[in-house]
Each structure stands twice: as C-alpha cells, then as structure tokens.
Amino acid sequence: MSTASDDPRRGGGKRRRRGGDDGGREMPMVPDVQFSSYYGRPVVKPAPWSHEIAAYLFLGGLAGGSGLLAAGAQLTGRKVLRRNSRLAALVAIVLSAAALISDLGRPERFVNMLRTIKLTSPMSLGSWILSGFGAGMSVAAAAEVDRLTGHRLPLGPLRGVLQAAEGPAGLEAAVFAAPLAVYTAVLLGDTATPTWHDAHRDLPFVFAGSASLASGGLAMLTTPVREAGPARRLAVLGVFGDVIATRAMVHRMDPIAAEPLHRGRPGAMLRWSERLAIAGGVGTLVGGRHRGVAALSGLALLGASALTRFGVFDAGIASAKDPRYTIEPQKRRLAARQAAGITGDSITTAD
C-alpha cells in the first residue's frame, strides 16, 4: 500500500532536496522562473495607429500654437504675424484632420464622433476641440486670404459679414488653441500602452513645449524679424519647456517603461530633437534678429518638435509589442505596495 509520503504528486518521498547543508528544510526543486507572457506575445494590444497619427499629433500642436500666436498678434496690431500665423494654423489643422480621417478609414467615422460629447473620453473631447478650432480659424483665415487677393473672392454681400466676424472668430479659435496643442498627450496617456501610460503625468507639458517650438519656429521662418518678436519669445520658452519637461518625464517614469524612449529609432529621434531644440534656441537668442539666422533657427525648432512627437509615438508602439515593458513595471509596483504594507487589495492578493 502506498502512503502520502510515497506519492510524487504530494511532493513526498520522490522530492529531491538541494543544498543538503540546510538540515531538514526543503529547498525548491527548480529555480524561480521569470514570467514574460504566453509564447512571448504582447500582453497589451498595440494601438492600431500608423504614422498618420504621429503626423496628426505634430500638426495639431503646430495649429494650436499658431492659433495662440495669431490671437496675440491680433490684439497687439502685428498684421503680418497675425496673417502668417492664421494661415499656418488653417493649413496645419486641415492636414491634421486629413491625417486623422485617413487613419480612421472613412470620413463618416469622424462625423460619428461628433454625435455626442463624452467628458470621460479624450477622443470625444478632442474631436470637438478640433472642430471648434477649425471653425473659428477658417473664418479668420478666409478674411486674410480675401485681403491678400485684393478682395477678389466672390463673396458679394457676405464680405461685410466676414469682416465683422473675423476678429471674434480669431479669438474663438484661440480658446481652443491650447487644448488642441496638448489634448493628444492626454489621449496617449489614457491608453494601456506601457510607455505612454507611465508618462501620462508629464506628457502634456512635453507636448506644450513641442507646440511652442513648432509654431514659434514656423513664424520665425515666415515672418519678417521686425514683427516676429513674440514668435522668438514663444520659441525660446518652448525650448526650455520641451527639454526640461522631457527630462523630468523620463526621470519620473519607471526605468523599464522609459527604456523605449532611449533605444532604437525612438531614442535617436528624441536625442536629435533635444539637439535641434537647443541649437535653434541658441540661434534665436544670439541671432534671431538676422533674417538668415532666424530662418535656420526656425527650421531647427520645427524639426525638433516633429521629432519629439514622432519619437514619443514610436516609443509607445515599441513598448506595447514587448511583454517585458508591461510585466516588469507591474512587478515593481506590486513589490512597492507589499513593502509599504498594502496587502489586502486586488493588486496584492491572488483573489
């Protein structure tokens, strides 16, 4: 007759001991296994977004920053800066919407997002922000185009209406400009993508700096230096905001979740973004009143802004594809809660 001590399923007489110097204490049969995921497959589903969405992130920031510059120029009487910023904002918002609709596949999907307002959905709010900004900026930019063509647009009696609505429309667009520049950071941080989610506290500040780089840089490139003072100041603030916020974000993130921001193509893009931002900022401070230097600095700042947005986008996609970036931060958080004595919640118990 067999006994419980002979049953290998109960770990009886068949169990081997390791480290016999340890007396009667049983040692584990095998070392601890580092869990990754089933067959190394992703734990979270990567966002089904192409680089059209990365372009959407960049162009939305450019449009939002240009809208703010246009409103400031409108209030301070800088007509050339106002015109250039309005036109830049309109082109950027049209291209941004086109990139979003292209990724969605069918235009009606964008229209469907406007059927309701869901305050807990960054995508729903973002659709309304995009539409509100686009409506106001379209009116303001149409007035600029009418002036550029010598009032040759076939507007008839509507010209007076357009001229009366121009000022309020420009200020209405400015109300949506700042949210437009940063809401996409909230959208990314609201996903389960490891790197984006771990960066959610600081990513809006990174995107605010990036939008300032893009809009200030483009205005420096297109506007005579005598009127581009606000653009230069916005660009310099954007350099400090982008570089400091990005470094603070990486410092506050879990080291594993932050790895994709340093490695491969995303890491290269973000390193070059910082270099171009610093170079453009120095050029703006030292030679921003010289047309050639201002144009080169503006190009560097535009490039820095684009690389920031594309780098963050690619880093998030990479983090979702590797289960390590999901599992290891989870283990760190679990260990931290257990070390703090938190043991009775759903995170620290198996039930």
Side-chain angles (χ1 to χ4, degrees):
M1 179 183 296
S2 65
T3 64
S5 60
D6 298 322
D7 189 349
R9 293 172 299 177
R10 296 177 178 263
K14 299 294 185 181
R15 174 174 291 172
R16 295 182 180 179
R17 296 182 182 179
R18 299 172 57 193
D21 297 338
D22 225 8
R25 187 165 64 88
E26 293 184 349
M27 302 298 288
M29 295 176 62
V30 294
D32 289 338
V33 176
Q34 295 294 320
F35 173 79
S36 57
S37 68
Y38 288 112
Y39 305 107
R41 301 187 66 181
V43 177
V44 297
K45 185 177 181 181
W49 296 336
S50 67
H51 277 96
E52 292 167 323
I53 293 299
Y56 165 68
L57 302 180
F58 167 66
L59 291 166
L62 174 59
S66 297
L68 286 177
L69 264 181
Q74 174 183 334
L75 296 174
T76 56
R78 291 178 169 85
K79 294 182 180 180
V80 178
L81 179 61
R82 181 199 66 199
R83 180 196 67 202
N84 292 349
S85 297
R86 283 178 174 177
L87 295 179
L90 179 63
V91 172
I93 199 64
V94 169
L95 292 177
S96 178
L100 175 61
I101 291 171
S102 176
D103 184 79
L104 290 173
R106 297 199 302 270
E108 59 267 26
R109 289 178 176 172
F110 178 79
V111 176
N112 287 338
M113 290 191 291
L114 300 175
R115 296 174 63 183
T116 60
I117 300 178
K118 189 175 181 180
L119 298 180
T120 57
S121 169
M123 180 61 80
S124 175
L125 290 178
S127 301
W128 282 97
I129 290 169
L130 185 70
S131 300
F133 180 88
M137 193 52 65
S138 296
V139 173
E144 298 289 358
V145 172
D146 189 45
R147 273 191 293 273
L148 275 175
T149 59
H151 302 292
R152 290 190 177 90
L153 293 182
L155 296 176
L158 293 178
R159 179 167 286 109
V161 176
L162 178 64
Q163 292 172 349
E166 172 189 358
L171 296 178
E172 182 269 346
V175 172
F176 292 97
L180 177 65
V182 301
Y183 94 87
T184 47
V186 180
L187 174 64
L188 296 183
D190 196 48
T191 68
T193 303
T195 295
W196 293 342
H197 184 73
D198 207 55
H200 73 277
R201 294 167 297 183
D202 300 291
L203 196 55
F205 299 101
V206 174
F207 275 25
S210 170
S212 300
L213 290 180
S215 55
L218 182 58
M220 289 168 57
L221 186 63
T222 60
T223 305
V225 294
R226 66 179 182 275
E227 282 202 15
R232 290 193 295 270
R233 290 189 285 272
L234 180 64
V236 171
L237 287 175
V239 171
F240 284 103
D242 184 79
V243 173
I244 293 173
T246 300
R247 292 198 173 194
M249 176 184 74
V250 173
H251 177 73
R252 280 158 55 92
M253 290 174 65
D254 182 276
I256 300 300
E259 272 188 12
L261 296 170
H262 303 293
R263 295 184 170 182
R265 191 169 78 165
M269 285 193 286
L270 290 171
R271 285 191 295 273
W272 274 105
S273 172
E274 182 173 303
R275 293 166 188 165
L276 287 174
I278 293 173
V282 171
T284 301
L285 287 172
V286 174
R289 294 183 180 276
H290 296 82
R291 191 73 186 95
V293 176
L296 288 175
S297 299
L299 280 174
L301 296 173
L302 270 171
S305 176
L307 287 172
T308 293
R309 304 260 179 159
F310 275 78
V312 168
F313 178 83
D314 279 4
I317 297 297
S319 73
K321 293 179 179 178
D322 189 337
R324 175 171 174 259
Y325 296 122
T326 301
I327 299 298
E328 292 197 22
Q330 286 180 343
K331 289 182 176 181
R332 286 175 181 269
R333 290 192 293 269
L334 175 61
R337 293 175 74 87
Q338 291 173 334
I342 304 173
T343 58
D345 60 7
S346 60
I347 297 176
T348 55
T349 61
D351 297 333

